[in-house]
Amino acid sequence: GESVGLHLPTLSVQEGDNSIINCAYSNSASDYFIWYKQESGKGPQFIIDIRSNMDKRQGQRVTVLLNKTVKHLSLQIAATQPGDSAVYFCAETFQGAQKLVFGQGTRLTINP
Amino acid sequence: ETGVTQTPRHLVMGMTNKKSLKCEQHLGHNAMYWYKQSAKKPLELMFVYSLEERVENNSVPSRFSPECPNSSHLFLHLHTLQPEDSALYLCASSQDPPNYGYTFGSGTRLTVV
């Protein structure tokens, strides 16, 4: 399944499938990007990050892709599990900035 | 636990009450933040503190008053709130600038009645 982040804030996938969550950013000066996961009743938790000198970074079951040409960031989750159900936020910042800028968030639901 | 602790986890208050939210971090960070998270809205930045000085105040009503007595503690004092102020209030900390992102607390779920 695939979402368009700001325009499609919900995404449902079958357990075991791969999911892709997208995020468009607007500041071409942004050079550091983070994905956060927020489960119900909890604060956002860091999942994976990427700097602008890379276009791909892999973690455990997660991959972040960065396309600076079109200012697009995506989070791929492989073999989704029920525990992956959460809201996922992208965030961006640039060198010297004092804060992160967050996207709207995408709610991912894993169906059994 | 993330290293950022917020208390209380839940708070119900009347519109005439005064209460305070507390945030504590022992990660050695020197910047702290308050965010408001309402249903179906993006995270709203309220205040930024760097080295205990307020560096950003995002047009937040004066019924919200932050306090940062030291780099490990951050408070949000609340008085004469409105029902629309009901939300999840999140505290975060980071290095300044946040070159490695934020660490968030679990939030305080505030209900104004």
Side-chain angles (χ1 to χ4, degrees):
Chain A
E2 180 173 315
S3 86
V4 191
L6 294 176
H7 302 289
L8 188 64
T10 61
L11 173 65
S12 293
V13 299
Q14 291 299 121
E15 183 177 351
D17 285 355
N18 298 333
S19 66
I20 301 173
I21 300 172
N22 295 304
C23 184
Y25 65 95
S26 56
N27 188 349
S28 56
S30 291
D31 58 6
Y32 180 52
F33 306 87
I34 308 169
W35 281 100
Y36 285 90
K37 173 186 180 183
Q38 186 175 21
E39 296 176 87
S40 180
K42 297 183 179 180
Q45 290 186 294
F46 174 98
I47 303 175
I48 191 167
D49 60 357
I50 189 167
R51 299 197 184 270
S52 58
N53 60 349
M54 303 174 69
D55 53 22
K56 180 179 180 179
R57 190 154 188 243
Q58 287 185 289
Q60 186 177 14
R61 285 199 306 116
V62 294
T63 300
V64 55
L65 299 177
L66 175 63
N67 185 331
K68 294 180 289 293
T69 303
V70 294
K71 291 187 283 189
H72 183 267
L73 189 70
S74 68
L75 177 70
Q76 300 177 359
I77 305 174
T80 53
Q81 303 169 357
D84 294 329
S85 292
V87 176
Y88 291 81
F89 294 95
C90 63
E92 61 180 296
T93 191
F94 57 89
Q95 186 70 26
Q98 282 191 307
K99 62 185 179 184
L100 303 180
V101 175
F102 289 88
Q104 181 181 2
T106 297
R107 180 175 298 280
L108 176 65
T109 302
I110 309 302
N111 301 315
Chain B
E1 288 297 328
T2 64
V4 178
T5 303
Q6 288 188 246
T7 54
R9 290 297 306 274
H10 301 273
L11 178 63
V12 179
M13 62 185 289
M15 288 190 282
T16 58
N17 290 159
K18 289 186 181 180
K19 296 286 184 183
S20 295
L21 310 185
K22 179 181 176 182
C23 178
E24 186 172 354
Q25 62 91 7
H26 296 289
L27 300 169
H29 290 165
N30 52 16
M32 297 186 78
Y33 311 80
W34 280 117
Y35 279 84
K36 177 183 178 182
Q37 187 176 40
S38 305
K40 300 181 181 179
K41 284 189 178 181
L43 285 165
E44 298 175 61
L45 178 64
M46 300 176 73
F47 301 104
V48 179
Y49 275 83
S50 174
L51 297 171
E52 301 141 46
E53 279 193 36
R54 191 188 313 178
V55 296
E56 185 154 343
N57 175 349
N58 262 8
S59 302
V60 179
S62 59
R63 57 185 183 269
F64 295 91
S65 175
E67 179 190 3
C68 188
N70 55 62
S71 60
S72 298
H73 294 86
L74 184 66
F75 295 89
L76 188 63
H77 303 299
L78 316 171
H79 66 97
T80 59
L81 294 192
Q82 304 298 311
E84 60 265 29
D85 296 323
S86 299
L88 181 68
Y89 288 84
L90 289 163
C91 173
S93 71
S94 75
Q95 293 297 334
D96 181 23
N99 291 330
Y100 297 93
Y102 295 167
T103 301
F104 282 93
S106 295
T108 294
R109 172 67 63 187
L110 173 67
T111 303
V112 181
V113 297

